[in-house]
Structure formats: structure tokens, C-alpha cells
């Protein structure tokens, strides 16, 4: 009688253990699929982040080139004004010098407007102040500040995805341990609960990262 009861208990434990293994296997497949999806989305976000960083570098170089041109024109303006002040220019040439001064001042103002547009973007200044075209079209400039903000948003979103994938990996490891453990349904159940909790955290972090993406 005692032997029969022992055999019955062993069978029940084995059945419970096999059930836990089956649940663990299904959950591993489920969370592995979610992790793969998260990795794919995270990869796309990282590409967009790299594009934004490259745009920041390119537009910063563009801004610096405008600053150099502006500085050269300011030096030219100073030289022309100094030339007039010395009084060595013949009266018949004063008019042409003044015309040059007016043109240089206009160019300096244009460079300043272009720098502002490159820095803050066309969308953040009035249309009448647009000064820089992009491929022949006005009002298409996305400013350095805007690209930097985009890069930061993508960076923050990818970090959340990275955390989410970490929890997916933890849940998969817990599931693997659950399968390895045999004839201990209680411990297997504990690992399954931890696995589900970790997977849910991974899902929440991934969804949060997706909502943060621009």
C-alpha cells in the first residue's frame, strides 16, 4: 500500500514537472520572439540615431563655414571703412567704396541669417526670414538644435529597448533553468513566475521605448 502511494506521488510529481517544462518551453519561445522584434525595432532606431548624429556633425561644419565667411566679410568691411577714414581715397572713388561697403554689410547680414536658420531650423523662424535654401528649396532646413534633440530622443528610446531586451534574456535564462530542473514542480513554478515577471518588464520597457521614439 505504501509502495503504491509512493508510486502515485512520483507519477504526480512527474506529470507536474512535465507540465512546467511545457509551459517554460512555450514562454521561452514567446519571449524570444518578442526579443527578436524588439531587436529589429531597436536596430532601426539606432540607425536613425546615427543619421541624426551625422546630421549634427554636417550641419555644424556648415555653420562653421558660414561663420568663417562672415568673419572674412567683417574684416573686409573694417578695411573698407578704415580706408575711407584715412582720407587717401580720391573723391571720385568714394562712391564706389561706399557701394562696396553696403554690399559687404548686406552679405554679412545674409550670413548671419543663414547661420540662424542652420542653427534653429526653418520651422522655428518666420518665413520672411528664410535665407538658406536646401537643394534649391527654401524652408527645408532642419536646424542643428533640432537634430541634436532628435539624436537625444532616439538615444533615450534605444536605451529603454536595451533594458527591455536584457529582461527578455533574463526571462529566457530562467525558462531554461526551469526546463533543466526536474521532479521539483514547486521550484519550477517559482522560476516560471520569475520568468513571466521578467518578460512583462521587458515588454513594458520595450513599449515605453517605442513610445519615446520620434
Amino acid at each position: 500500500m505504501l509502495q503504491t502511494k509512493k508510486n502515485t506521488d512520483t507519477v504526480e510529481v512527474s506529470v507536474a514537472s512535465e507540465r512546467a517544462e511545457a509551459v517554460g518551453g512555450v514562454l521561452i519561445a514567446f519571449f524570444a520572439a518578442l526579443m527578436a522584434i524588439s531587436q529589429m525595432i531597436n536596430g532601426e532606431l539606432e540607425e536613425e540615431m546615427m543619421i541624426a548624429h551625422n546630421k549634427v556633425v554636417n550641419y555644424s561644419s556648415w555653420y562653421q563655414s558660414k561663420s568663417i565667411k562672415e568673419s572674412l566679410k567683417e574684416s573686409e568691411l573694417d578695411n573698407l571703412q578704415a580706408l575711407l577714414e584715412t582720407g587717401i581715397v580720391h573723391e571720385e572713388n568714394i562712391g564706389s567704396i561706399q557701394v562696396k561697403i553696403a554690399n559687404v554689410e548686406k552679405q554679412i547680414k545674409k550670413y548671419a541669417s543663414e547661420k540662424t536658420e542652420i542653427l534653429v531650423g526653418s520651422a522655428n523662424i518666420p518665413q520672411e526670414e528664410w535665407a538658406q535654401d536646401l537643394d534649391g528649396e527654401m524652408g527645408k532646413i532642419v536646424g542643428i538644435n533640432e537634430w541634436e534633440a532628435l539624436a537625444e530622443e532616439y538615444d533615450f528610446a534605444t536605451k529603454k529597448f536595451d533594458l527591455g531586451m536584457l529582461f527578455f534574456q533574463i526571462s529566457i535564462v530562467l525558462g531554461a533553468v526551469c526546463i533543466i530542473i526536474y521532479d521539483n514542480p514547486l521550484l519550477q513554478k517559482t522560476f516560471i513566475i520569475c520568468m513571466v515577471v521578467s518578460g512583462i518588464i521587458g515588454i513594458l520597457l520595450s513599449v515605453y521605448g517605442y513610445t519615446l521614439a520620434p
Side-chain angles (χ1 to χ4, degrees), residues 6 34 38 41-42 55 57 71 74-75 78 88-89 97 113 120 122 128-129 145-146 159 190 192 200-201 204 209:
K6 185 176 180 181
L34 290 179
S38 296
I41 297 174
N42 190 44
K55 290 292 185 180
V57 174
S71 297
E74 287 174 347
S75 298
D78 291 338
I88 62 175
V89 179
I97 296 295
S113 299
V120 303
S122 303
E128 59 271 13
E129 294 183 14
N145 294 344
E146 293 176 297
K159 286 179 180 177
T190 302
I192 287 175
I200 290 173
I201 294 174
L204 293 176

Side-chain angles (χ1 to χ4, degrees), residues 117 121-132 138-139:
E117 189 170 355
S122 303
N124 297 310
I125 59 176
Q127 184 173 350
E128 59 271 13
E129 294 183 14
W130 289 349
Q132 180 63 56
M138 302 297 290

Side-chain angles (χ1 to χ4, degrees), residues 20-41:
E21 288 179 11
V23 172
V26 171
L27 289 175
I28 286 175
F30 176 69
F31 289 128
L34 290 179
M35 185 174 71
I37 294 171
S38 296
Q39 285 178 329
M40 181 183 67
I41 297 174

Side-chain angles (χ1 to χ4, degrees), residues 6-155:
K6 185 176 180 181
N7 291 338
T8 302
D9 292 341
T10 302
V11 170
E12 289 177 353
V13 169
S14 298
V15 171
S17 181
E18 290 175 359
R19 188 182 300 114
E21 288 179 11
V23 172
V26 171
L27 289 175
I28 286 175
F30 176 69
F31 289 128
L34 290 179
M35 185 174 71
I37 294 171
S38 296
Q39 285 178 329
M40 181 183 67
I41 297 174
N42 190 44
E44 293 177 356
L45 293 179
E46 287 179 346
E47 287 181 8
E48 293 295 332
M49 181 180 67
M50 291 304 300
I51 291 172
H53 280 302
N54 290 335
K55 290 292 185 180
V56 170
V57 174
N58 293 338
Y59 275 58
S60 296
S61 299
W62 195 10
Y63 183 89
Q64 289 299 324
S65 69
K66 296 291 183 181
S67 296
I68 292 171
K69 291 178 180 178
E70 184 183 22
S71 297
L72 291 174
K73 288 299 177 182
E74 287 174 347
S75 298
E76 183 180 350
L77 178 62
D78 291 338
N79 291 333
L80 290 172
Q81 289 175 338
L83 190 62
L84 280 181
E85 291 173 359
T86 57
I88 62 175
V89 179
H90 296 293
E91 290 186 7
E92 63 270 17
N93 295 327
I94 290 178
S96 61
I97 296 295
Q98 290 175 337
V99 170
K100 286 184 179 180
I101 288 175
N103 289 333
V104 171
E105 288 176 341
K106 185 177 179 181
Q107 288 177 320
I108 291 172
K109 185 178 179 181
K110 182 176 183 295
Y111 285 134
S113 299
E114 290 173 348
K115 284 171 57 182
T116 300
E117 189 170 355
I118 292 171
L119 181 63
V120 303
S122 303
N124 297 310
I125 59 176
Q127 184 173 350
E128 59 271 13
E129 294 183 14
W130 289 349
Q132 180 63 56
D133 69 286
L134 185 65
D135 297 329
E137 294 186 49
M138 302 297 290
K140 300 295 184 180
I141 301 295
V142 178
I144 295 173
N145 294 344
E146 293 176 297
W147 284 119
E148 287 179 342
L150 275 175
E152 289 178 1
E153 289 176 10
Y154 280 121
D155 183 50

Side-chain angles (χ1 to χ4, degrees), residues 192-210:
I192 287 175
I193 292 172
C194 294
M195 179 185 184
V196 171
V197 171
S198 180
I200 290 173
I201 294 174
I203 292 172
L204 293 176
L205 285 170
S206 297
V207 171
Y208 181 47
Y210 184 77

